[in-house]
Amino acid sequence: MPKNLISIHDFSKKEILHIVEIAADFEKNKSQNILNDKVVACIFFEPSTRTRLSFETAANRLGARVIGFADAANTSIAKGESLKDTIKMVSNYVDIIVIRHPLEGAARYASEVTPVPVINAGDGANQHPTQTLLDIYSINKTQGRLDNLTINMVGDLKYGRTVHSLLQAMSFFSPNFVFTSPDELRMPLEYKRFLEGKGIPYTETRQLSEHLDSSDIIYMTRVQQERFNDPIEYENVKNVYRLEAGMLSNVRDNLKILHPLPRVNEIAADVDDTPYAYYFKQAENGMYVRMAIIAYLLGYR
Amino acid sequence: MEQKDKHLKVTAIKNGTVLDHIPAESLFKVINILNLSKRPNQITIGSNLDSRSMGKKGIIKISEYFFEDEEIGEIALVAPNATINIIRNYEVVEKRIISIPESFVGIFRCMNPMCVTNHQDIPTKFTTIRERNEVLLLCHYCEKTTDTRNLKIVSKK
Ligand SMILES: [Zn+2]
């Protein structure tokens, strides 16, 4: 059984730290031809240009070649081919598979029908573990550590899979959480119970301004209109959870603002020019982290 | 007294297994889970029988068949208090207790409509978890839980 990365739970604390370490090495030395005899499949059953380009660039910078598709619309899948048959076919050609699929659990299933390692690049609303690892890499890089940080998660904490995975992975590092969200989008009970079980403190607030000055990381997420029954409610919330440069006058010097991107209007453009904005660099970090994950799963690092 | 009534309604078997005290509404789920329609054995089924302790109950008598523990465990979530009587020569020689298995493969549907098992021909896999007196099934694929109130059985081929 090859090692896979399907869910953030598949990696131990030690493996998370290992990925952070080798990603730092790839950031220093961006092109390392260690996989020049390898082929990577990037099979995207739903389009996600941002994630796909990041993976494909990562594979290219390792010297590997990339095959795959960006959208299932023009493939045999559209003609009704089963996921199993597609994975079996691709497995014959490649050394590792990167898969994105709209159905939850699709990546786990793919890993069970192929002999090559599988990386989950997002399975519906379920998991997106490489996003979590790049978030952790970005936190470590900007703070110089992972332990004992105050992480303020803002926006859609109910449906946002990135905040749930990040919460679980950061729980290894004695964090202090602030959950800033409208009532409709509060952090689900199961995650709060998970933290309570581990003795990790958290506070909840509706006011974005309340904990900005005591945070080390502000993790912003998109509040999507389709989450609301009442369009007026959405309009209210959308404007309340908008971060502007003027709100950052008393924040900690080490504060960094993260966002999984793309943003809509939850971060004003004037924040981009502050020293706290980190979301563009965070996206770049994704490439080094994906290089690290590919190299690790293929046994090269 | 109850024992006597039962004998009038459902004939006794010589050797085999009697599943008694099945909740009336779960009887056909139990039949499904145990795949009884495909079994060649002689089977007697009683539905909506009067029961002093349960009001209405179901009972299943299967001649010349003795279930494995894992097999019978699969009905634990739909008939947790059912009794399993092993019959030899018309006598109850053993009473077995049902315990909830640690995992379920290919029996129940995942209640998450976006789960890959509801769209592709994939046997479901669940791990049993217990949360405040409630039994939940954690889907191996989509990582969501299905509670016992939402259990639907995968129709067997
Ligand atoms: Zn599922």
PDB file of all heavy atoms in Angstrom, chain A residues 104-105, chain B residues 109-112 114-118 124-126 138-146, ligand 1:
ATOM      1  N   GLU A 104     -17.802  13.672  -2.550  1.00  0.00           N
ATOM      2  CA  GLU A 104     -17.052  13.499  -1.311  1.00  0.00           C
ATOM      3  C   GLU A 104     -16.666  12.030  -1.131  1.00  0.00           C
ATOM      4  O   GLU A 104     -17.511  11.158  -1.233  1.00  0.00           O
ATOM      5  CB  GLU A 104     -17.894  14.004  -0.130  1.00  0.00           C
ATOM      6  CG  GLU A 104     -18.185  15.488  -0.294  1.00  0.00           C
ATOM      7  CD  GLU A 104     -19.243  16.021   0.657  1.00  0.00           C
ATOM      8  OE1 GLU A 104     -19.413  15.465   1.745  1.00  0.00           O
ATOM      9  OE2 GLU A 104     -19.893  17.007   0.279  1.00  0.00           O
ATOM     10  N   GLY A 105     -15.389  11.803  -0.888  1.00  0.00           N
ATOM     11  CA  GLY A 105     -14.898  10.429  -0.740  1.00  0.00           C
ATOM     12  C   GLY A 105     -14.301   9.875  -2.024  1.00  0.00           C
ATOM     13  O   GLY A 105     -13.758   8.772  -2.024  1.00  0.00           O
TER      14      GLY A 105
ATOM     15  N   ARG B 109     -26.788   2.610   3.513  1.00  0.00           N
ATOM     16  CA  ARG B 109     -26.446   3.739   2.657  1.00  0.00           C
ATOM     17  C   ARG B 109     -25.883   4.874   3.493  1.00  0.00           C
ATOM     18  O   ARG B 109     -26.300   5.064   4.626  1.00  0.00           O
ATOM     19  CB  ARG B 109     -27.706   4.274   1.969  1.00  0.00           C
ATOM     20  CG  ARG B 109     -28.139   3.444   0.835  1.00  0.00           C
ATOM     21  CD  ARG B 109     -29.141   4.179  -0.055  1.00  0.00           C
ATOM     22  NE  ARG B 109     -29.519   3.288  -1.110  1.00  0.00           N
ATOM     23  CZ  ARG B 109     -28.716   2.948  -2.110  1.00  0.00           C
ATOM     24  NH1 ARG B 109     -27.514   3.498  -2.204  1.00  0.00           N
ATOM     25  NH2 ARG B 109     -29.098   2.094  -3.017  1.00  0.00           N
ATOM     26  N   CYS B 110     -24.988   5.671   2.878  1.00  0.00           N
ATOM     27  CA  CYS B 110     -24.517   6.894   3.526  1.00  0.00           C
ATOM     28  C   CYS B 110     -25.587   7.957   3.315  1.00  0.00           C
ATOM     29  O   CYS B 110     -26.122   8.099   2.214  1.00  0.00           O
ATOM     30  CB  CYS B 110     -23.200   7.334   2.900  1.00  0.00           C
ATOM     31  SG  CYS B 110     -22.559   8.845   3.616  1.00  0.00           S
ATOM     32  N   MET B 111     -25.937   8.704   4.383  1.00  0.00           N
ATOM     33  CA  MET B 111     -27.024   9.683   4.233  1.00  0.00           C
ATOM     34  C   MET B 111     -26.578  10.983   3.556  1.00  0.00           C
ATOM     35  O   MET B 111     -27.405  11.853   3.276  1.00  0.00           O
ATOM     36  CB  MET B 111     -27.693   9.977   5.590  1.00  0.00           C
ATOM     37  CG  MET B 111     -26.830  10.686   6.594  1.00  0.00           C
ATOM     38  SD  MET B 111     -27.701  10.981   8.165  1.00  0.00           S
ATOM     39  CE  MET B 111     -28.657  12.434   7.766  1.00  0.00           C
ATOM     40  N   ASN B 112     -25.274  11.102   3.278  1.00  0.00           N
ATOM     41  CA  ASN B 112     -24.776  12.301   2.600  1.00  0.00           C
ATOM     42  C   ASN B 112     -25.024  12.168   1.087  1.00  0.00           C
ATOM     43  O   ASN B 112     -24.420  11.325   0.430  1.00  0.00           O
ATOM     44  CB  ASN B 112     -23.274  12.431   2.889  1.00  0.00           C
ATOM     45  CG  ASN B 112     -22.612  13.524   2.076  1.00  0.00           C
ATOM     46  OD1 ASN B 112     -23.274  14.333   1.435  1.00  0.00           O
ATOM     47  ND2 ASN B 112     -21.291  13.551   2.104  1.00  0.00           N
ATOM     48  N   MET B 114     -24.003  13.782  -1.346  1.00  0.00           N
ATOM     49  CA  MET B 114     -22.818  14.022  -2.173  1.00  0.00           C
ATOM     50  C   MET B 114     -21.738  12.961  -1.979  1.00  0.00           C
ATOM     51  O   MET B 114     -20.638  13.077  -2.524  1.00  0.00           O
ATOM     52  CB  MET B 114     -22.239  15.412  -1.887  1.00  0.00           C
ATOM     53  CG  MET B 114     -23.048  16.565  -2.461  1.00  0.00           C
ATOM     54  SD  MET B 114     -23.315  16.395  -4.239  1.00  0.00           S
ATOM     55  CE  MET B 114     -21.689  16.886  -4.848  1.00  0.00           C
ATOM     56  N   CYS B 115     -22.030  11.951  -1.194  1.00  0.00           N
ATOM     57  CA  CYS B 115     -21.033  10.896  -0.968  1.00  0.00           C
ATOM     58  C   CYS B 115     -20.842  10.068  -2.239  1.00  0.00           C
ATOM     59  O   CYS B 115     -21.813   9.707  -2.906  1.00  0.00           O
ATOM     60  CB  CYS B 115     -21.471   9.986   0.177  1.00  0.00           C
ATOM     61  SG  CYS B 115     -20.280   8.656   0.493  1.00  0.00           S
ATOM     62  N   VAL B 116     -19.596   9.758  -2.532  1.00  0.00           N
ATOM     63  CA  VAL B 116     -19.269   9.018  -3.763  1.00  0.00           C
ATOM     64  C   VAL B 116     -19.991   7.665  -3.814  1.00  0.00           C
ATOM     65  O   VAL B 116     -20.345   7.182  -4.892  1.00  0.00           O
ATOM     66  CB  VAL B 116     -17.728   8.860  -3.896  1.00  0.00           C
ATOM     67  CG1 VAL B 116     -17.161   7.911  -2.834  1.00  0.00           C
ATOM     68  CG2 VAL B 116     -17.325   8.411  -5.291  1.00  0.00           C
ATOM     69  N   THR B 117     -20.289   7.075  -2.654  1.00  0.00           N
ATOM     70  CA  THR B 117     -20.944   5.752  -2.643  1.00  0.00           C
ATOM     71  C   THR B 117     -22.392   5.825  -3.127  1.00  0.00           C
ATOM     72  O   THR B 117     -22.975   4.799  -3.465  1.00  0.00           O
ATOM     73  CB  THR B 117     -20.946   5.127  -1.238  1.00  0.00           C
ATOM     74  OG1 THR B 117     -21.681   5.983  -0.348  1.00  0.00           O
ATOM     75  CG2 THR B 117     -19.536   4.943  -0.699  1.00  0.00           C
ATOM     76  N   ASN B 118     -22.965   7.039  -3.124  1.00  0.00           N
ATOM     77  CA  ASN B 118     -24.328   7.185  -3.634  1.00  0.00           C
ATOM     78  C   ASN B 118     -24.376   7.468  -5.133  1.00  0.00           C
ATOM     79  O   ASN B 118     -25.450   7.655  -5.699  1.00  0.00           O
ATOM     80  CB  ASN B 118     -25.056   8.299  -2.875  1.00  0.00           C
ATOM     81  CG  ASN B 118     -25.415   7.855  -1.469  1.00  0.00           C
ATOM     82  OD1 ASN B 118     -25.862   6.727  -1.272  1.00  0.00           O
ATOM     83  ND2 ASN B 118     -25.198   8.715  -0.488  1.00  0.00           N
ATOM     84  N   THR B 124     -20.523   0.499   0.612  1.00  0.00           N
ATOM     85  CA  THR B 124     -20.276   1.458   1.694  1.00  0.00           C
ATOM     86  C   THR B 124     -19.439   0.802   2.786  1.00  0.00           C
ATOM     87  O   THR B 124     -19.449  -0.419   2.937  1.00  0.00           O
ATOM     88  CB  THR B 124     -21.593   1.948   2.319  1.00  0.00           C
ATOM     89  OG1 THR B 124     -22.314   0.814   2.813  1.00  0.00           O
ATOM     90  CG2 THR B 124     -22.433   2.697   1.307  1.00  0.00           C
ATOM     91  N   LYS B 125     -18.708   1.628   3.522  1.00  0.00           N
ATOM     92  CA  LYS B 125     -17.911   1.157   4.659  1.00  0.00           C
ATOM     93  C   LYS B 125     -18.076   2.158   5.788  1.00  0.00           C
ATOM     94  O   LYS B 125     -17.831   3.355   5.580  1.00  0.00           O
ATOM     95  CB  LYS B 125     -16.421   1.146   4.283  1.00  0.00           C
ATOM     96  CG  LYS B 125     -15.891  -0.184   3.810  1.00  0.00           C
ATOM     97  CD  LYS B 125     -14.378  -0.102   3.705  1.00  0.00           C
ATOM     98  CE  LYS B 125     -13.932  -0.469   2.300  1.00  0.00           C
ATOM     99  NZ  LYS B 125     -12.482  -0.291   2.123  1.00  0.00           N
ATOM    100  N   PHE B 126     -18.498   1.685   6.946  1.00  0.00           N
ATOM    101  CA  PHE B 126     -18.668   2.580   8.090  1.00  0.00           C
ATOM    102  C   PHE B 126     -17.922   2.043   9.306  1.00  0.00           C
ATOM    103  O   PHE B 126     -17.837   0.838   9.504  1.00  0.00           O
ATOM    104  CB  PHE B 126     -20.148   2.686   8.482  1.00  0.00           C
ATOM    105  CG  PHE B 126     -21.034   3.304   7.438  1.00  0.00           C
ATOM    106  CD1 PHE B 126     -21.781   2.506   6.592  1.00  0.00           C
ATOM    107  CD2 PHE B 126     -21.125   4.680   7.322  1.00  0.00           C
ATOM    108  CE1 PHE B 126     -22.617   3.069   5.642  1.00  0.00           C
ATOM    109  CE2 PHE B 126     -21.957   5.249   6.362  1.00  0.00           C
ATOM    110  CZ  PHE B 126     -22.703   4.438   5.525  1.00  0.00           C
ATOM    111  N   LEU B 138     -19.679   6.303  10.911  1.00  0.00           N
ATOM    112  CA  LEU B 138     -18.775   7.245  10.247  1.00  0.00           C
ATOM    113  C   LEU B 138     -18.382   6.667   8.896  1.00  0.00           C
ATOM    114  O   LEU B 138     -17.781   5.594   8.821  1.00  0.00           O
ATOM    115  CB  LEU B 138     -17.537   7.466  11.122  1.00  0.00           C
ATOM    116  CG  LEU B 138     -16.457   8.366  10.524  1.00  0.00           C
ATOM    117  CD1 LEU B 138     -16.948   9.802  10.381  1.00  0.00           C
ATOM    118  CD2 LEU B 138     -15.194   8.332  11.384  1.00  0.00           C
ATOM    119  N   CYS B 139     -18.722   7.390   7.831  1.00  0.00           N
ATOM    120  CA  CYS B 139     -18.447   6.914   6.470  1.00  0.00           C
ATOM    121  C   CYS B 139     -16.943   6.959   6.197  1.00  0.00           C
ATOM    122  O   CYS B 139     -16.282   7.970   6.407  1.00  0.00           O
ATOM    123  CB  CYS B 139     -19.200   7.765   5.450  1.00  0.00           C
ATOM    124  SG  CYS B 139     -18.871   7.287   3.752  1.00  0.00           S
ATOM    125  N   HIS B 140     -16.427   5.843   5.729  1.00  0.00           N
ATOM    126  CA  HIS B 140     -15.003   5.713   5.401  1.00  0.00           C
ATOM    127  C   HIS B 140     -14.623   6.624   4.233  1.00  0.00           C
ATOM    128  O   HIS B 140     -13.484   7.052   4.116  1.00  0.00           O
ATOM    129  CB  HIS B 140     -14.767   4.240   5.047  1.00  0.00           C
ATOM    130  CG  HIS B 140     -13.474   3.931   4.381  1.00  0.00           C
ATOM    131  ND1 HIS B 140     -12.280   3.936   5.056  1.00  0.00           N
ATOM    132  CD2 HIS B 140     -13.185   3.615   3.087  1.00  0.00           C
ATOM    133  CE1 HIS B 140     -11.300   3.626   4.205  1.00  0.00           C
ATOM    134  NE2 HIS B 140     -11.822   3.430   3.011  1.00  0.00           N
ATOM    135  N   TYR B 141     -15.570   6.947   3.385  1.00  0.00           N
ATOM    136  CA  TYR B 141     -15.277   7.744   2.188  1.00  0.00           C
ATOM    137  C   TYR B 141     -15.481   9.237   2.409  1.00  0.00           C
ATOM    138  O   TYR B 141     -14.541  10.015   2.316  1.00  0.00           O
ATOM    139  CB  TYR B 141     -16.102   7.236   1.000  1.00  0.00           C
ATOM    140  CG  TYR B 141     -15.654   5.857   0.572  1.00  0.00           C
ATOM    141  CD1 TYR B 141     -16.376   4.724   0.926  1.00  0.00           C
ATOM    142  CD2 TYR B 141     -14.463   5.686  -0.131  1.00  0.00           C
ATOM    143  CE1 TYR B 141     -15.939   3.453   0.567  1.00  0.00           C
ATOM    144  CE2 TYR B 141     -14.019   4.425  -0.493  1.00  0.00           C
ATOM    145  CZ  TYR B 141     -14.759   3.318  -0.140  1.00  0.00           C
ATOM    146  OH  TYR B 141     -14.314   2.069  -0.486  1.00  0.00           O
ATOM    147  N   CYS B 142     -16.707   9.662   2.711  1.00  0.00           N
ATOM    148  CA  CYS B 142     -16.957  11.115   2.778  1.00  0.00           C
ATOM    149  C   CYS B 142     -16.696  11.681   4.173  1.00  0.00           C
ATOM    150  O   CYS B 142     -16.736  12.901   4.363  1.00  0.00           O
ATOM    151  CB  CYS B 142     -18.384  11.428   2.342  1.00  0.00           C
ATOM    152  SG  CYS B 142     -19.630  10.942   3.532  1.00  0.00           S
ATOM    153  N   GLU B 143     -16.440  10.809   5.175  1.00  0.00           N
ATOM    154  CA  GLU B 143     -16.098  11.225   6.535  1.00  0.00           C
ATOM    155  C   GLU B 143     -17.265  11.903   7.266  1.00  0.00           C
ATOM    156  O   GLU B 143     -17.059  12.598   8.246  1.00  0.00           O
ATOM    157  CB  GLU B 143     -14.832  12.116   6.556  1.00  0.00           C
ATOM    158  CG  GLU B 143     -13.652  11.449   5.848  1.00  0.00           C
ATOM    159  CD  GLU B 143     -12.360  12.252   5.870  1.00  0.00           C
ATOM    160  OE1 GLU B 143     -12.222  13.152   6.699  1.00  0.00           O
ATOM    161  OE2 GLU B 143     -11.474  11.951   5.036  1.00  0.00           O
ATOM    162  N   LYS B 144     -18.492  11.712   6.758  1.00  0.00           N
ATOM    163  CA  LYS B 144     -19.682  12.230   7.448  1.00  0.00           C
ATOM    164  C   LYS B 144     -20.324  11.090   8.238  1.00  0.00           C
ATOM    165  O   LYS B 144     -20.095   9.918   7.941  1.00  0.00           O
ATOM    166  CB  LYS B 144     -20.709  12.774   6.443  1.00  0.00           C
ATOM    167  CG  LYS B 144     -20.177  13.865   5.524  1.00  0.00           C
ATOM    168  CD  LYS B 144     -20.060  15.190   6.240  1.00  0.00           C
ATOM    169  CE  LYS B 144     -19.558  16.289   5.310  1.00  0.00           C
ATOM    170  NZ  LYS B 144     -18.216  16.009   4.741  1.00  0.00           N
ATOM    171  N   THR B 145     -21.161  11.447   9.211  1.00  0.00           N
ATOM    172  CA  THR B 145     -21.808  10.401   9.997  1.00  0.00           C
ATOM    173  C   THR B 145     -23.269  10.232   9.582  1.00  0.00           C
ATOM    174  O   THR B 145     -23.929  11.180   9.175  1.00  0.00           O
ATOM    175  CB  THR B 145     -21.754  10.705  11.507  1.00  0.00           C
ATOM    176  OG1 THR B 145     -22.326  11.978  11.744  1.00  0.00           O
ATOM    177  CG2 THR B 145     -20.340  10.665  12.033  1.00  0.00           C
ATOM    178  N   THR B 146     -23.740   8.996   9.702  1.00  0.00           N
ATOM    179  CA  THR B 146     -25.141   8.654   9.469  1.00  0.00           C
ATOM    180  C   THR B 146     -25.684   8.156  10.805  1.00  0.00           C
ATOM    181  O   THR B 146     -25.061   7.313  11.452  1.00  0.00           O
ATOM    182  CB  THR B 146     -25.239   7.563   8.388  1.00  0.00           C
ATOM    183  OG1 THR B 146     -24.789   8.114   7.142  1.00  0.00           O
ATOM    184  CG2 THR B 146     -26.669   7.060   8.220  1.00  0.00           C
TER     185      THR B 146
HETATM  186 ZN    ZN C   1     -20.369   8.801   2.799  1.00  0.00          ZN
END
